[in-house]
Amino acid sequence: MLRVQGLTSQFRGRAGVVRAIDDVSFEVPAGEAVGIVGETGSGKSVTIRSILGLLPSYGRVVAGSAEFEGEDLIKLSRTRLREIRGARIGFVAQNPFGALNPVLSIEKQFRNVMRAHRRMSRAELHDLAIERLTAVQVRGPERVLRGYAHELSGGMAQRVVIALAMLHDPPLVIADEPTTALDVTVQRQILDLIDSQVKQGGRSLLLVTHDLGVVAQYCHRVVVMKSGRVVETGLVADVFTNPTHEYTKQLLDAVPPAPWAQEAPGLTEQAVTSR
Amino acid sequence: MSDAAAIPKSPAAEVVTKIVNFARVSPGIVAGVAVLLFLLLASFLAPLPYDPVTPDPTSVLQPPSAQHIFGTDANGFDVFSRVVAAGRSDLPLALAGTLASLVIGLLVGLPLSVKSKWSEGFMRALDAFQSFPLIVLSVTIVSLTGNDIQNILYAIVIINGPRFIRLIRSEALAIREARFIEAAIATGARPRRVMFRHIMPNVIDVCLVQCSLTTANAVIVIAALNFLGIGVSPPTPTWGSMVQVGAQAISTGQWWIAIWPGVAIFIAIASLNMLANGIQRRVEGS
Amino acid sequence: MSIMELRDVNHVFRRGGKEVHAVNGVSLSVAKGETVAVIGESGSGKSTLGRIALGLITPTSGSVVFDGIELTALSRKQMRPLRSRLQVVFQEPYESLNPRLKVGDIIAEPLIIHRPELSRAERREKVVAMLERVGLTAEHADRLPRNLSGGQQQRIGIARAIITEPELVILDEPTSSLDVSVRARVLDLLRDLQRERGISYVFISHDLATVGLISDRVAVMYLGTVVEQGPTQEVLTNPRHPYTQALMSATLSTVVGQKREHVPLRGEIPNPSKKPTKCVLSGRCPIEVDACSSWQVRLAQVADRHEVACMRVEQEQKQPVELGGGR
């Protein structure tokens, strides 16, 4: 589905040119979920921004390729890339309020996203938007469509962003820390939602996160990054149970076990299942 | 950094490298400061071809030539000497006025950042005060209190002091919300310590930008007052009074008398704006 | 012997013309040398509670007693000398350090305020010793905070908090903005310092996994109310309140396939604009019954020192047989 090879990007800064990611390679097979995991400065966000052509003005891709549906995204013109983004690749950002335009109604934003790639009458689009919002479990979709981003809670806003990202039924969805800005009890709802949306459409998912738990529970494959380089990739089941690279080991060791799995594992299920 | 340690350099060479590096990052600041320094040093140190306050009645209204490169005016003053010498009074005055405005701004603006009825009332009073045409007010004050050079200083402070107060207060209000202020209070710092140790150093950046803009504004205010014949006793050269004298001669074709002091004002202001711009970028960049 | 005792603390503040009931009837005590964790999501009132404990906010009602002194009765001025004994570490390490001061000056600040008798050299000596204690070096004293990593910045925040040898330190999410590998080491440091100096901690966090590693007791807050509290082991192994269970099940394990059945809560945290007149979880709770909407929140004991504020749990305690059959 997506094949990234030797991707290298640089940033120009006060201290000169800095290599933000170096020789990054990985694949996202069709129908699979791949997690890119790393700590601050590991280059995980830069990687997807390089793929999507969303680097800031002082950054640029200097080498490598990102092959998607027979085209190299890195070499594409801006216009062609824009056609692919949104229509063939859906993007879910970390902060839903940054992704939504504060001065446009939600319906208008559906219209804009639709119009970027396809023509559709207002009435048809309205019905489609309602359908999609319902699919992502937005309560009161009519009211939400008329309203604005600031009226939504964080979780609702992220649901709207997901609905927008899925509007053109893209075969690949890229999500950049989609739950980091949300409350703990809402995070799981959103992850489950992304998971079901991706599975239902038989899509592929590229998920960037710092949370190893998210990768362990929601991804098939994992790409572990550190200081701009890939240190380990493979099936989650292999890498997480048998990490070969020292850094992956350290990372896994540093995460405290889930609270319900600490110390007395026998007791943990009881409280929940007894209800 | 590392290569500097490897090859020992003379202190002077190190300073030069530092300046060069700084210039690469912030060319505006270096260029602005360089031009200003040049103007200032020239006005005090440059050997002038003629005495700027002694007219030569034998050469009146001469166009620029080899003897008088900027020409002479109706009284027989050498325009070049006067343009350069005018920097002696205009620039230090503008800088002093700015400095005074800054100090007042800090002393008044920082305490005003403590929210209270009193500070709100003061701000409303300041609003009312600033709604006056302040330049008119300063003209009135200066002309009533006498043609003294320090009265020009007061005029600059009257116009710019409130701006500094406002700016510093609003910045301080924002910084007061910062987590490190809460940390300082939690540490047991007294209000005065919070204000001067924690808030003040953090408003200095914006103050520097405002200082360069204010100095530019002060150059204009001084020129405007001098143009109106206020705060200057002839034959002391100032750019404003020279433009005023020269303006009368433009209609009769002697353009050079007004143009050169005008150019000097322009250069001073342009360099100050460049400086302000450079500082602004640095502040935003960090 | 408790070092801090909060009794029936309520706090209401106004934001944009609306009332926010941030803390509702919270009682909490911290024993000497103990770590009490306060768990909650954003809007739970946990940070407000921390500021009340610090005497930075005076609560609308209730009592805050630190080592026998009623803090709510003190003026800001009277409060100041106490601050050397009652300290805080904030979540955002960088934002809590003055960007214009060198690290050495930041750590020296509490000494300048509370130990004015120290000479410059003595102060410097203490600062260097403290830097080394938190895992940095004397060389860091002359740096600016922005030139340090997040973990190093938080070490400086910790150094500043403990240099006056306080008896109680409020840790307001001290590790949540740090990377996992750094987080573990900062937690180790906090634990070591506690052992060495017998400091008491109030550890405010949203992360139950971290809390399990560091705290002796835990209080779970939701909408300004404590819904469950007790010894950490007991609460984590036997959570009774549906909110605690939801919070626990939301933490994902890094062990592949190790999943806990998700206890879903409907919707999201409502605005705390009204004083709760019914169960705080009402409307989101998976085990809610009609009677819950007229139930006044109160903690009831379910096990030794383990208290839960849930009507269903309370009833279950009273009539275990009847309800047990209904499950």
Side-chain angles (χ1 to χ4, degrees):
Chain A
M1 174 96 308
L2 176 70
R3 180 194 298 246
V4 175
Q5 268 177 327
L7 200 61
T8 304
S9 297
Q10 291 180 340
F11 284 141
R12 218 164 357 93
R14 221 179 251 177
V17 175
V18 181
R19 190 153 281 197
I21 55 169
D22 196 356
D23 195 21
V24 170
S25 305
F26 62 90
E27 268 180 59
V28 183
E32 287 200 9
V34 176
I36 304 185
V37 70
E39 304 198 295
T40 314
S42 62
K44 55 191 192 298
S45 272
V46 178
T47 303
I48 55 163
R49 280 171 200 284
S50 302
I51 294 169
L52 290 169
L54 294 175
L55 285 178
S57 57
Y58 50 90
R60 90 197 158 85
V61 179
V62 290
S65 64
E67 210 176 294
F68 173 75
E69 295 188 326
E71 288 178 284
D72 182 3
L73 298 178
I74 307 299
K75 294 208 180 67
L76 288 182
S77 70
R78 279 173 182 226
T79 349
R80 180 75 190 115
L81 196 58
R82 215 176 296 130
E83 279 169 26
I84 290 174
R85 261 190 336 239
R88 308 297 298 161
I89 302 178
F91 182 59
V92 179
Q94 174 173 351
N95 177 4
F97 296 107
L100 294 171
N101 188 328
V103 298
L104 297 182
S105 71
I106 302 298
E107 176 145 23
K108 179 86 186 159
Q109 300 189 49
F110 267 95
R111 229 176 278 152
N112 287 347
V113 170
M114 181 50 76
R115 233 191 353 228
H117 304 285
R118 200 146 61 91
R119 296 217 155 271
M120 192 181 262
S121 78
R122 278 186 180 221
E124 259 182 300
L125 177 75
H126 180 84
D127 292 344
L128 181 68
I130 295 283
E131 182 197 318
R132 293 305 176 85
L133 286 178
T134 313
V136 294
Q137 293 144 36
V138 167
R139 279 166 303 156
E142 289 279 359
R143 194 169 34 88
V144 169
L145 273 186
R146 278 195 304 274
Y148 294 83
H150 66 89
E151 298 162 5
L152 302 171
S153 66
M156 278 302 140
Q158 194 62 299
R159 283 166 200 274
V160 171
V161 170
I162 292 169
L164 284 167
M166 306 282 181
L167 192 60
H168 294 282
D169 298 310
L172 174 66
V173 176
I174 298 185
D176 185 6
E177 304 260 14
T179 58
T180 308
L182 305 174
D183 268 318
V184 191
T185 49
V186 182
Q187 287 185 1
R188 255 202 85 170
Q189 298 172 7
I190 297 296
L191 286 168
D192 285 343
L193 178 69
I194 293 176
D195 191 50
S196 69
Q197 290 280 311
V198 166
K199 278 191 184 131
Q200 272 167 28
R203 306 178 221 276
S204 308
L205 174 68
L206 180 58
L207 180 74
V208 171
T209 181
H210 67 276
D211 188 339
L212 292 153
V214 172
V215 177
Q217 304 307 333
Y218 291 92
C219 297
H220 302 101
R221 290 169 183 276
V222 60
V223 179
V224 184
M225 288 190 71
K226 188 200 178 201
S227 341
R229 288 170 174 274
V230 173
V231 297
E232 185 161 3
T233 80
L235 291 171
V236 171
D238 297 340
V239 173
F240 276 50
T241 43
N242 244 330
T244 55
H245 198 280
E246 195 51 41
Y247 178 71
T248 316
K249 256 182 232 164
Q250 279 172 20
L251 214 52
L252 282 164
D253 285 344
V255 184
W260 41 269
Q262 285 178 16
E263 304 291 289
L267 273 166
T268 53
E269 295 300 316
Q270 184 195 325
V272 169
T273 47
S274 68
R275 295 239 163 249
Chain B
M1 280 186 289
S2 49
D3 55 358
I7 309 153
K9 281 182 183 170
S10 71
E14 251 173 62
V15 169
V16 169
T17 349
K18 268 193 185 157
I19 292 178
V20 168
N21 281 339
F22 190 86
R24 207 172 287 151
V25 182
S26 305
I29 296 180
V30 173
V33 170
V35 173
L36 276 182
L37 271 181
F38 173 77
L39 287 180
L40 259 178
L41 291 178
S43 68
F44 281 100
L45 303 176
L48 298 175
Y50 299 90
D51 184 351
V53 290
T54 316
D56 176 8
T58 59
S59 58
V60 170
L61 292 178
Q62 301 261 327
S65 65
Q67 279 84 40
H68 299 278
I69 55 169
F70 285 1
T72 62
D73 70 4
N75 295 317
F77 287 117
D78 177 54
V79 175
F80 175 76
S81 304
R82 281 175 72 80
V83 164
V84 174
R88 265 179 229 175
S89 66
D90 282 18
L91 289 176
L93 198 57
L95 290 169
T98 303
L99 201 66
S101 305
L102 171 67
V103 170
I104 287 175
L106 285 171
L107 289 179
V108 180
L110 285 177
L112 278 177
S113 72
V114 180
K115 271 196 180 153
S116 71
K117 279 213 173 92
W118 194 86
S119 67
E120 281 302 312
F122 188 98
M123 289 315 289
R124 296 296 79 75
L126 199 63
D127 286 342
F129 180 70
Q130 277 193 294
S131 64
F132 274 157
L134 290 182
I135 187 128
V136 176
L137 186 71
S138 9
V139 168
T140 319
I141 290 173
V142 175
S143 47
L144 285 181
T145 51
N147 255 358
D148 203 338
I149 199 154
Q150 60 185 325
N151 286 330
I152 293 197
L153 199 71
Y154 298 149
I156 298 171
V157 173
I158 285 172
I159 295 171
N160 290 297
R163 292 185 188 167
F164 270 101
I165 293 174
R166 206 172 276 287
L167 174 81
I168 289 166
R169 177 179 182 261
S170 70
E171 279 295 311
L173 276 176
I175 288 163
R176 211 165 260 286
E177 300 297 314
R179 194 60 78 229
F180 66 84
I181 297 297
E182 199 178 8
I185 294 170
T187 298
R190 285 161 202 282
R192 206 186 316 148
R193 188 174 179 86
V194 170
M195 204 174 287
F196 291 105
R197 177 85 170 159
H198 295 285
I199 298 181
M200 195 168 83
N202 286 287
V203 300
I204 289 300
D205 279 345
V206 278
C207 284
L208 284 177
V209 177
Q210 184 67 15
C211 278
S212 352
L213 294 174
T214 301
T215 312
N217 176 269
V219 168
I220 295 177
V221 170
I222 295 166
L225 290 175
N226 291 339
F227 183 88
L228 297 170
I230 296 165
V232 58
S233 36
T236 313
T238 69
W239 291 329
S241 60
M242 290 177 72
V243 172
Q244 196 259 336
V245 170
Q248 295 159 358
I250 285 183
S251 56
T252 49
Q254 286 92 16
W255 53 268
W256 59 87
I257 306 171
I259 246 355
W260 298 116
V263 167
I265 293 173
F266 171 78
I267 292 174
I269 289 170
S271 61
L272 282 161
N273 281 328
M274 231 161 25
L275 181 61
N277 223 320
I279 300 172
Q280 178 81 43
R281 281 196 189 182
R282 247 190 120 76
V283 173
E284 282 168 1
S286 67
Chain C
M1 175 65 188
S2 68
I3 183 80
M4 166 130 330
E5 186 89 42
L6 304 177
R7 230 169 286 128
D8 196 24
V9 172
N10 289 279
H11 190 63
V12 186
F13 59 86
R14 298 196 142 269
R15 190 165 50 200
K18 274 190 196 149
E19 281 193 345
V20 179
H21 289 257
V23 179
N24 300 307
V26 171
S27 298
L28 196 73
S29 77
V30 186
K32 281 197 172 142
E34 185 189 35
T35 300
V36 173
V38 177
I39 297 292
E41 297 176 88
S42 60
S44 64
K46 59 185 194 299
S47 286
T48 307
L49 192 70
R51 282 169 177 75
I52 288 171
L54 281 166
L56 288 174
I57 301 178
T58 308
T60 316
S61 71
S63 127
V64 182
V65 178
F66 171 71
D67 197 27
I69 309 161
E70 174 63 56
L71 296 188
T72 55
L74 299 184
S75 69
R76 286 191 152 221
K77 209 170 170 180
Q78 291 168 314
M79 184 68 215
R80 247 172 250 143
L82 279 181
R83 299 218 174 276
S84 65
R85 306 172 53 197
L86 179 58
Q87 267 298 325
V88 58
V89 177
F90 288 110
Q91 171 176 6
E92 312 87 352
Y94 181 65
E95 275 111 83
S96 63
L97 306 176
N98 187 339
R100 289 287 155 148
L101 294 186
K102 285 181 183 161
V103 166
D105 293 331
I106 291 172
I107 300 175
E109 168 120 342
L111 291 178
I112 296 172
I113 293 169
H114 296 287
R115 304 278 308 273
E117 77 280 4
L118 292 181
S119 72
R120 190 178 278 269
E122 286 170 317
R123 226 167 36 220
R124 173 88 191 174
E125 199 179 307
K126 277 183 176 292
V127 167
V128 169
M130 187 47 72
L131 274 171
E132 283 165 359
R133 180 61 201 87
V134 298
L136 300 168
T137 61
E139 179 256 335
H140 287 102
D142 296 318
R143 300 233 212 133
L144 285 173
R146 68 157 172 272
N147 297 325
L148 301 174
S149 70
Q152 290 172 326
Q153 287 165 359
Q154 196 56 299
R155 283 165 195 273
I156 290 155
I158 292 168
R160 171 177 59 189
I162 60 167
I163 196 159
T164 53
E165 292 168 17
E167 288 132 86
L168 176 66
V169 178
I170 312 287
L171 305 165
D172 189 356
E173 305 232 24
T175 57
S176 33
S177 64
L178 304 176
D179 279 324
V180 277
S181 56
V182 183
R183 195 178 293 182
R185 270 175 275 146
V186 170
L187 282 176
D188 283 343
L189 172 66
L190 287 170
R191 259 191 311 233
D192 290 349
L193 288 168
Q194 179 168 48
R195 249 194 311 263
E196 260 169 51
R197 294 157 195 244
I199 315 173
S200 310
Y201 288 145
V202 172
F203 191 99
I204 298 170
S205 176
H206 67 268
D207 180 10
L208 277 165
T210 307
V211 160
L213 298 179
I214 193 165
S215 68
D216 304 306
R217 285 194 304 125
V218 52
V220 181
M221 279 184 83
Y222 182 76
L223 277 186
T225 309
V226 173
V227 294
E228 180 158 8
Q229 64 179 17
T232 306
Q233 267 314 311
E234 162 74 13
V235 173
L236 291 192
T237 50
N238 190 20
R240 300 297 300 276
H241 198 281
Y243 178 70
T244 315
Q245 295 175 348
L247 211 53
M248 292 209 27
S249 70
T251 325
L252 300 168
S253 170
T254 53
V255 180
V256 182
Q258 186 188 38
K259 271 200 187 185
R260 182 178 178 101
E261 192 186 326
H262 188 196
V263 179
L265 293 179
R266 275 169 281 148
E268 288 175 53
I269 304 167
N271 278 328
S273 57
K274 275 176 283 180
K275 186 161 178 72
T277 52
K278 52 184 174 187
C279 176
V280 277
L281 201 59
S282 175
R284 297 187 72 194
C285 182
I287 57 165
E288 187 172 358
V289 292
D290 287 348
C292 289
S293 60
S294 58
W295 184 74
Q296 187 63 48
V297 180
R298 59 174 171 259
L299 286 164
Q301 185 137 345
V302 294
D304 181 32
R305 294 185 300 151
H306 185 182
E307 296 180 306
V308 176
C310 173
M311 189 194 76
R312 308 247 357 233
V313 174
E314 195 182 295
Q315 287 174 349
E316 197 177 328
Q317 283 303 115
K318 283 181 193 153
Q319 308 147 299
V321 186
E322 194 190 309
L323 248 165
R327 271 188 261 165

